[in-house]
Amino acid sequence: GTFDPPHKGHVEIARALTARFSLNRFVFVPANHAPHKKDRTPTESAHRLAMLAAASSEFSNTEISTIELDAPESPYTFETLAKLKSLHPGKVLFFVMGADSWNDIVSWRHWEEVLSTINVIVVTRPDYEISTDHVTDAIRSRIRDVRGAVDVPESSPDSQLIFLTDAVSIQVAASAIRAKIQCGDVSWRSDVGEAVANYIETHQIYK
């Protein structure tokens, strides 16, 4: 994602999924620009990296990868996933996406490859309908709905399972935070945490 800005929802997703899926570590991969989202230019990457570091600093199992920011051209997700798989042979990897991204997945470049390279975790939201009608039968056969479940089916380095989970129920959106800042609504501070809020104010981001 662009993490523009990173907020409490991102951190809570990392915490909850690490526990639910027994992850050794959770890696944030900030993007230069989501190719399928051309409506706005993201904030300078140095600011987003600094904010992400501040947001995740209290959670020891998180890391930040600059694999996309360091690329000479903005890679598509299917390219990043293939590269990560080649860099970590034999490891069980998961790609995390939100409910909006899942419902829009067919608009992504090589979307079937995105859903077939490594395991995928789709984080659903309360009162938001998740559909599977837009994907192929082959992909649908790999979906595991673990919403409300305590145990999650085991994955392997060669599996490409797609998990639907309700492990996180917090509703925070980066676009809403930016809008609040621009209109002077100070309630945005509670959505990002003190360290990120202080950084945003110090550097006058989103004004």
Side-chain angles (χ1 to χ4, degrees), residues 5-8 55 172 177 188-198 200:
H7 52 66
K8 287 184 175 180
V172 184
I177 293 170
W188 65 270
R189 290 185 60 92
S190 63
D191 294 331
V192 300
E194 185 176 1
V196 176
N198 290 341
I200 290 172

Side-chain angles (χ1 to χ4, degrees), residues 15-30:
R15 290 182 188 277
L17 296 188
T18 296
R20 180 68 60 88
F21 290 84
S22 300
L23 306 179
N24 291 326
R25 54 181 172 160
F26 192 100
V27 182
F28 292 105
V29 184

Side-chain angles (χ1 to χ4, degrees), residues 29-179:
V29 184
N32 268 316
H33 189 273
H36 58 288
K37 293 182 178 180
K38 300 178 180 179
D39 56 328
R40 67 178 297 272
T41 301
T43 302
E44 183 182 340
S45 60
H47 284 314
R48 290 185 288 119
L49 277 174
M51 290 188 289
L52 192 51
S56 60
S57 61
E58 295 182 6
F59 186 30
S60 60
N61 285 46
T62 60
E63 294 181 16
I64 301 172
S65 169
T66 58
I67 188 172
E68 291 206 348
L69 297 178
D70 294 340
E73 295 184 2
S74 296
Y76 288 95
T77 299
F78 77 92
E79 296 171 317
T80 298
L81 295 182
K83 186 171 183 179
L84 287 171
K85 187 173 184 179
S86 70
L87 290 172
H88 303 282
K91 300 293 185 182
V92 181
L93 303 178
F94 296 84
F95 172 57
V96 180
M97 67 167 61
D100 292 330
S101 294
W102 168 258
N103 282 348
D104 293 337
I105 191 64
V106 296
S107 70
W108 292 28
R109 179 72 63 92
H110 294 187
W111 66 272
E112 290 178 79
E113 196 170 336
V114 171
L115 299 179
S116 305
T117 302
I118 60 176
N119 300 286
V120 175
I121 300 174
V122 180
V123 180
T124 64
R125 298 203 311 264
D127 304 320
Y128 187 89
E129 184 177 352
I130 284 287
S131 174
T132 61
D133 295 339
H134 58 309
V135 298
T136 64
D137 290 340
I139 288 175
R140 199 177 297 116
S141 70
R142 293 188 277 108
I143 294 176
R144 303 291 184 269
D145 192 342
V146 296
R147 287 175 289 182
V150 175
D151 298 318
V152 174
E154 200 167 307
S155 303
S156 73
D158 298 318
S159 64
Q160 295 95 33
L161 298 177
I162 301 168
F163 298 95
L164 307 182
T165 179
D166 56 359
V168 182
S169 60
I170 188 170
Q171 296 195 60
V172 184
S175 57
I177 293 170
R178 295 193 302 267

